[in-house]
């Protein structure tokens, strides 16, 4: 049993430290984040500080699941591996400004499309999510073919493949629209397998279609589940 004066001293000390903590959290320095703010990250304080400095708009950090980490390592060895090029033929009237707004909506709605991947200076690779990104958007001259004055679609596709993403520079997505003859357009969507797989691309394209048809209605749609939800679920599984 402690003496009464010893208990009083401990209580005063605890109150003093608690007051210091309250002042700290209420001041400018209180905006500093700690690893506990990002439960899916596997970073120490120094790594977290560097990451937040490198990505001022950061809103999320998580480690990579095993399969994603494998693809990340392969993509570092050869940046062209993992790049996915989608070519769409669009027939009929097309409002380019409306299509661009639809793509911007999809990028805002799906956090995976606002993600980047990094490992330099970290003990293991991580994914970071930014609050906003600017989707690279290109409107090309009309396609005419190798004998015409305009660009050649096949040459454009080949040139696009020669420009792989830098995984630490979001977004890992870009769109090029190429007008054609008689209301026929082509759209090239470049993305990366770290973001999109066979299960997810139909969801992205469905959202794109809905947003193009009704951009105001799409803006009120519920937020798409984040990829962190899967990472959290997988982290809770038993490893055998």
């Amino acid at each position: 049993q402690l003496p009464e004066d010893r208990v009083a001293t401990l209580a005063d000390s605890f109150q003093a430290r608690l007051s210091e903590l309250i002042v700290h959290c209420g001041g400018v320095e209180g905006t500093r984040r700690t690893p506990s703010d990002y439960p899916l990250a596997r970073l120490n304080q120094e790594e977290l500080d560097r990451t937040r400095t490198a990505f001022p708009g950061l809103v999320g950090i998580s480690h990579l699941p095993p399969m994603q980490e494998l693809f990340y390592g392969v993509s570092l060895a050869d940046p062209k591996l993992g790049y996915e090029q989608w070519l769409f033929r669009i027939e009929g009237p097309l409002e380019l400004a409306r299509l661009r707004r639809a793509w911007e909506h999809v990028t805002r709605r799906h956090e995976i499309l606002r993600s980047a991947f990094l490992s330099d200076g970290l003990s293991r690779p991580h994914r970071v999510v930014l609050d906003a990104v600017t989707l690279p958007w290109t409107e090309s001259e009309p396609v005419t073919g190798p004998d015409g004055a305009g660009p050649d679609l096949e040459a454009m596709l080949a040139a696009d493949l020669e420009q792989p993403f830098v995984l630490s520079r979001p977004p890992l997505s870009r769109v090029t629209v190429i007008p054609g003859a008689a209301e026929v357009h082509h759209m090239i969507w470049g993305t990366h397998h770290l973001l999109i797989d066979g299960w997810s691309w139909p969801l992205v394209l469905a959202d794109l279609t809905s947003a193009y048809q009704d951009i105001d209605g799409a803006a009120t749609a519920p937020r798409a589940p984040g990829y962190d939800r899967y990472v959290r679920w997988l982290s809770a599984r038993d490893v055998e």
Side-chain angles (χ1 to χ4, degrees), residues 9 28 33 42 50 60 70 85 136 141 179 194 239:
T9 299
V28 176
R33 301 290 184 176
R42 301 294 183 265
R50 287 202 309 268
L70 174 63
Q85 183 187 76
E141 297 178 0
L194 285 167
V239 179

Side-chain angles (χ1 to χ4, degrees), residues 34-182:
T34 67
S36 63
D37 292 311
Y38 304 98
L40 293 179
R42 301 294 183 265
L43 303 175
N44 59 37
Q45 187 64 60
E46 181 182 354
E47 292 172 329
L48 176 60
D49 289 343
R50 287 202 309 268
T51 302
R52 296 190 72 238
T53 298
F55 297 94
L58 184 145
V59 293
I61 314 175
S62 67
H63 68 278
L64 306 187
M67 187 60 69
Q68 196 177 42
E69 187 168 350
L70 174 63
F71 278 116
Y72 176 75
V74 170
S75 298
L76 285 183
D78 185 346
K80 293 182 181 180
L81 294 177
Y83 179 72
E84 295 189 354
Q85 183 187 76
W86 297 74
L87 175 64
F88 301 87
R89 177 185 171 95
I90 305 173
E91 299 182 359
L94 181 66
E95 298 179 34
L96 295 183
R98 189 185 187 97
L99 179 63
R100 184 173 186 174
R101 288 181 64 196
W103 268 114
E104 290 171 345
H105 163 77
V106 170
T107 302
R108 286 192 302 270
R109 185 164 190 261
H110 294 274
E111 68 170 32
I112 193 67
L113 298 178
R114 292 180 277 109
S115 297
F117 300 82
L118 63 157
S119 57
D120 288 349
L122 306 181
S123 57
R124 60 185 296 179
H126 278 70
R127 178 177 69 97
V128 297
V129 181
L130 303 188
D131 58 350
V133 296
T134 300
L135 178 70
W137 175 271
T138 302
E139 295 178 15
S140 172
E141 297 178 0
V143 169
T144 59
D147 298 326
D152 178 1
L153 180 59
E154 292 300 322
M156 293 186 67
L157 291 171
D160 178 72
L161 288 174
E162 293 299 318
Q163 301 178 56
F165 294 111
V166 177
L167 300 181
S168 60
R169 298 178 187 172
L172 308 183
S173 179
R174 60 177 177 247
V175 176
T176 300
V177 180
I178 311 105

